[in-house]
Amino acid sequence: MDEEIWYEEDTGALVRPYTVTRGRTRPSARHAIDLMSRVTALEPGPDASGVDHARAALLGHVRRGPRPVVELAADADLPLTVVRVLLGDLAEQGLIRIDAPRRHPVHPHEEADPELLREIVRRLREL
């Protein structure tokens, strides 16, 4: 019998995202997870032995260093909605911290000049 070996790159994901998240499409309401939220592994973290494969793999990416959610989704090659749910689960277990994105105003007490922004948009449209 000639057995054929399939790899995920050839077949696509064999486990559907809703299976990984147990049908959930949003993290718990306690965690606001934005695209640019910064995710950090807590060290020393609690024992992660009870974490399933998908969450453990994502935690491995987080442990490489603090990064935005969008980068983690790209590295894990998972849809953003799935990553947000998994990160929420890891935060619930006390394995990671999710911080709101940092704002970068022009000056600490000054917002960007609306006229300057309009000029930028106008010039981009000219391109």
Side-chain angles (χ1 to χ4, degrees):
M1 177 193 250
D2 190 22
E3 288 191 33
E4 195 174 335
I5 299 174
W6 288 8
Y7 296 96
E8 193 165 302
E9 297 84 32
D10 300 327
T11 63
L14 298 176
V15 176
R16 297 290 173 224
Y18 65 84
T19 305
V20 174
T21 63
R22 300 180 187 114
R24 294 173 295 141
T25 59
R26 293 187 179 119
S28 78
R30 287 190 278 185
H31 303 286
I33 303 175
D34 183 84
L35 286 174
M36 295 307 294
S37 295
R38 191 161 190 78
V39 182
T40 307
L42 298 178
E43 296 293 338
D47 182 23
S49 61
V51 176
D52 67 11
H53 175 72
R55 287 161 185 79
L58 187 57
L59 183 58
H61 288 292
V62 175
R63 285 189 170 152
R64 292 182 192 151
R67 297 197 330 231
V69 171
V70 69
E71 282 185 24
L72 291 169
D75 289 347
D77 196 25
L78 289 170
L80 186 60
T81 54
V82 171
V83 170
R84 290 176 69 221
V85 172
L86 298 179
L87 290 174
D89 293 348
L90 292 171
E92 290 289 318
Q93 291 178 279
L95 297 169
I96 63 169
R97 183 182 73 233
I98 302 168
D99 298 311
R102 295 183 200 158
R103 285 188 40 144
H104 296 286
V106 176
H107 297 288
H109 302 291
E110 181 181 316
E111 293 295 322
D113 178 17
E115 189 56 42
L116 175 63
L117 294 175
R118 279 191 279 282
E119 179 68 18
I120 292 170
V121 169
R122 185 182 66 75
R123 290 187 183 203
L124 284 172
R125 287 183 179 148
E126 290 175 0
L127 296 175

